[in-house]
Amino acid sequence: MLRGGYGMTQEKPPTGPIGPSDATEPADGASPAQGAMSTQTEPPDDSAGPGSESGKGAGSRMGRMLHGDNPVLLTFLALVLAGLVGAVLIAIGDPATRAASKYFFAAPLDTVSAALKAVGNAYLALFEGSVVDPSSFASGSATAILGPISETLVNATPLILGGLSVALAFRAGLFNIGGQGQIIIGAVFAGYVGFAWDLPVVVHVLVALAAGTLGGALWGGIAGWLKARTGAHEVITTIMLNYIAFNLLAFLLGTPGFQAPPFGQAISNPVEGNARLPHLLGGDLRVHAGLLIALLAALGCWWLLDRSTLGFRLRAVGANQNAARTAGMHVERSYVAVMLIAGGLCGLAGCAQILGTNPAITQDIDAGIGFDAITVALLGRGKPGGTVLAGLLFGALRAGSVTMLSVTGTPVDLVQVVQALIVMFIAAPALVQAVFRVRARGGVGQVLAKGWNG
Amino acid sequence: MSAVELATPSGGDPDQDDLVVVKKVVRRTSTKRRVITGVLMVALGVLCVLGLGLGAHPGVSATFQLGQPDAAIGVPNLVLPARTAIVVLGVLIILLGLWQAVRGFGRRAMRWVGVVAGVAFIFSFLCWAATGQEGGASIDLVGLLSQSIFLATPLILGALAGILCERSAVINIAIEGQMLTGAFAGALAGSMAHNLGVGLIAAMIAGGLMGALLAVFAIRYVVNQIILGVVINVLALGLTGFIYDALMQPNQDSLNNPGFFSPIKIPVLGDIPILGPLLFDANIIVYLMYLLIIVIDVALLRTRWGLRTRAVGEHPKAADTVGINVLRTRYRNVILGGCVAGLGGAFLTIGAVGSFTKDISSGKGFIALAAVIFGGWSPRGALGAALLFGFADALGTLLSFISAPVAIPSSFLAMLPYLATIFAVAGLVGRVKAPAADGEPYTKE
C-alpha cells in the first residue's frame, strides 16, 4: 500500500507540474512544466554554483542580477540579514553593552556605541581568524599570513564532503540527516586501518581512505536499503543510526585494541604516520590533502549528476518518483545507490577528520559536521559547485569563531545561529524580499525533502 | 493483489464464487505474517530458556522489591528461584508462539499476547541479571518502573507536541529545539524570578515561540517542514548555547540556579502499594503530563477541535470547503504543540536537575519524534512507545549498578531505543500511516 501509494511531491495538487519542486531549477522556475521525462532532451543548466548563468547574454544577466528572485542576490541578502541578527546577539552577549544599557534612557548613545564596538570587534576577529590577519604581515612569516586561510580550508574540507553527501541525497529526493553516524563509522573504519594495520607508505593511506568510504557507505546504505525494502522514512532511520553509531563509538573507545593505552581516556590509538593525509603547505599549516579529495568529490558529484546515466536516474526519481517508475526506472534501487554514495561521501569526511585533521578518534570526531553539512547543502542549493562555496563560507565561520572567542570572548555558538538563520532566510525568499523591499515575481521556495508518506 | 482491494467489494457482492476467492487471498497473506510472528516468538522463548536459563547461575534466587521501607502499607518482596522462573517464563513464551504459529490469535488478542511475551522476556532477563551477584541481587522493581516514568516524562510531552502538530499536517522535527528552548527559558526565568512557577510558564512561552517560528515559516513562507525543523533545532542549540556561554555561565548563581519542583505525594492515592509510589508521588510537571495525555486523547477524538484538526490533517481541501479555517487551525496547533514541548523541556531543568547545561535535551526530542511515529500518531500509542523508551533507559542505568553474569556494555543498552525504533519503523510501515496531508502546505486556490 505505502510503497505503491507515495504521495505527490510537496506544494502541488496531484495533477500539477513537477517543476517548482525540482531543486535544479532556478528559483524563478525557468521551466516549471518540464517533467522528469523532458529533461532527458534538455538537461537543466546547473553545472556550476548559483552564480553561473553560462550561455546567457550579458544584458539579460544584468537584468537578472537586479531582480529580487536572483539566487545570488537572495543569498547575499540572506547573509546580510543573518549577520544583522548575529550582531544583535553579540551586543546582548557583550558585558560593556549590557552595562551601558542599564542607563539607556539617560544616555542611549553609550549603549549604541558600545554595541557597535563589540559587534565590530567580533566580526573583525571573525575575519582575521578566517581570511587574513593584517598584523601578521609585520612578522613576514608565510605561516602566520596563511594560517587563517589554512584553518578555513581545514574546516571546510569535511563540510564540503558532508555537504555533497546531503546535496546528492536531496537531488534524489532523500534527506540524509545521518551525516553524523556516517562520519563516525567512516572515521572508525579509516582510523582502525590507520593504526592497526601495517602497510607501506602510499598504500596505507589509500587503504584507509577506502575503508573509511566503505564504512560510511555501509552506514548510509542501511538507511537506503530500509527505505527501499520496507519504506521506512530515511529521516527517522538516519537519525536513529546516528545515535547507534555514537554509542558504538562509545563502546569502541572503551575497548582495548581500539582504545589507546593506558585506557584511562576515551580516545583511540593514534593513526600511524603512513596513513596520514600529507599537509599541502608544509608541516606548520594544517591544510591537508583531504581538501583535494573534497574538490575531486565535488567534480565527481557534478559529473555523476549532470553527465551520467545513474545521475539522471537519481534526479528523475527525486523530481517525481511516480513518473520515474512509470518510465521503467528502479526507484528502490536508486534509493540504495544514492544512500551508498552519500554515505561514502560522509565516510570520506570522516577520513578527512581522522587521517587529516585529528590525530586520534575521540567521541567528538564528528564535531557537528553531520548537521552543519545539511546547512551547507541547503546554502549550496543542492549543487556541487554551490556546495563547495557554501562549505568554504561555513568553514571560514568555524575557523574565525575560534579567534573570535579568544579575542573578544564571543561564544562560538554564534556561528551556529548565523548558519541556521542563513538557511532559513534562503528557504523563505519571500521574507528576505519583504525585509529588503526588492521586487519579487512570487517564486516558490525550495522543496527538497518530502513528508512521511512519500 | 492486496487483500484489501479484493475484500472491499465482497461486502456488497452477493456472488458466492467471488466471496470464496476473497477469503483465500485474505487467508494467505495473514498466514505468512502469523507464522512469522509465531516463529519469532518461539525463537524468543528458546533464547530465553537456553540463553538466559543456562546462563543464570544455578541455585541463586532473584529478589524483587515491591514495597518501600517507609510505606504505610508494606508489601513483601518477591523472591524467585531465578533459573526455574526463567524456564517457566520462557516456556510460556514458546507456547504462546506455537499457538500463534499453528492456530493464530486474533488481532486484538495478539496485542496483549505481545505485551505478555515482552513482559515475560524482560522479567526473565531481570532474573538472569540478578544472579550475577553472590546470593542474588535485589532489584527495586517499583524504583525501576518509577524511574521509567520519570525518564519518559519529557519524551511523552515531546511526543504529544509532535502529535498536536502532525495531526494538523505540520511535520514537527523541531521538537528537540522547542524542548531545549523550554529547558533554557525555564531555568533562566525560574532563577531570575526565584519562582519555579514563573519558570514553568516561561518555558511554555519559549517553546510556543519556537513553535510559532516553525508555524510562520512552514505556513506563511511555505518552507519545507522537515528541513525547517532541522534548521530550527540548530538555531535553538546555537541560541541557547550562545546565551548560556555569554550570560548564564559567568552568573551561575543568579541566572542558572532555579532549583527544582519537589515531588508532591497525593494524600490517599499515594499510599496505595506499588501504584502509589509509581504514579502519585511525582512533581507537578508529571501530573500536568497525566492531564495533558487525557485531555489531548479525548479532545482529539471527541471534540469539535479534534475533528477539525484531524480533518485539516487528512484532507485540508475538504476541511476548507466546509468552512474550517485550515491555516488558523494549523497555526494554533503548532504553537500549542510548541508550548507542550516547552513544558517537556522544563522538566529537564526545573523538573529534574535544577540547572541548565548546553544541549541538555541531548536528542530526547528526536526520541519523542520516534515515539510519535512508533505510536502511529495517536496519543495512546505515543504514550506506550515513550514509556518503552523510558524503560529501556532506566534498565540501562539499573544494569550498570548490578553485575549481570555477563557484563553488558552500557553503550549497547543505550542503543536499544534507537534500534527498537528502526525495527518498529521498518516493520510497521504500511500498518501505521501518517496523517494523509502531513508535511504538505495548504494554499487556497
Side-chain angles (χ1 to χ4, degrees), chain A residues 199-217:
Chain A
L199 294 167
V201 178
V202 181
V203 181
H204 201 170
V205 68
L206 289 179
V207 172
L209 281 171
T213 314
L214 183 75

Side-chain angles (χ1 to χ4, degrees), chain B residues 358-431:
Chain B
K358 266 190 187 185
D359 195 16
I360 195 170
S361 52
S362 65
K364 290 198 171 57
F366 287 121
I367 306 220
L369 177 68
V372 172
I373 295 173
F374 204 167
W377 285 268
S378 86
R380 284 176 219 185
L383 172 68
L387 283 173
L388 197 65
F389 292 153
F391 180 77
D393 212 353
L395 189 64
T397 321
L398 177 82
L399 286 175
S400 63
F401 286 124
I402 61 171
S403 49
V406 179
I408 305 168
S410 59
S411 318
F412 285 128
L413 286 164
M415 270 181 217
L416 276 181
Y418 311 110
L419 274 174
T421 306
I422 288 186
F423 280 113
V425 171
L428 289 174
V429 165
R431 287 197 283 163

Side-chain angles (χ1 to χ4, degrees), chain A residues 174-203:
Chain A
L174 296 183
F175 192 14
N176 180 19
I177 316 191
Q180 187 192 14
Q182 291 151 19
I183 288 171
I184 287 175
I185 299 296
V188 164
F189 274 48
Y192 185 77
V193 169
F195 62 71
W197 293 11
D198 207 13
L199 294 167
V201 178
V202 181
V203 181

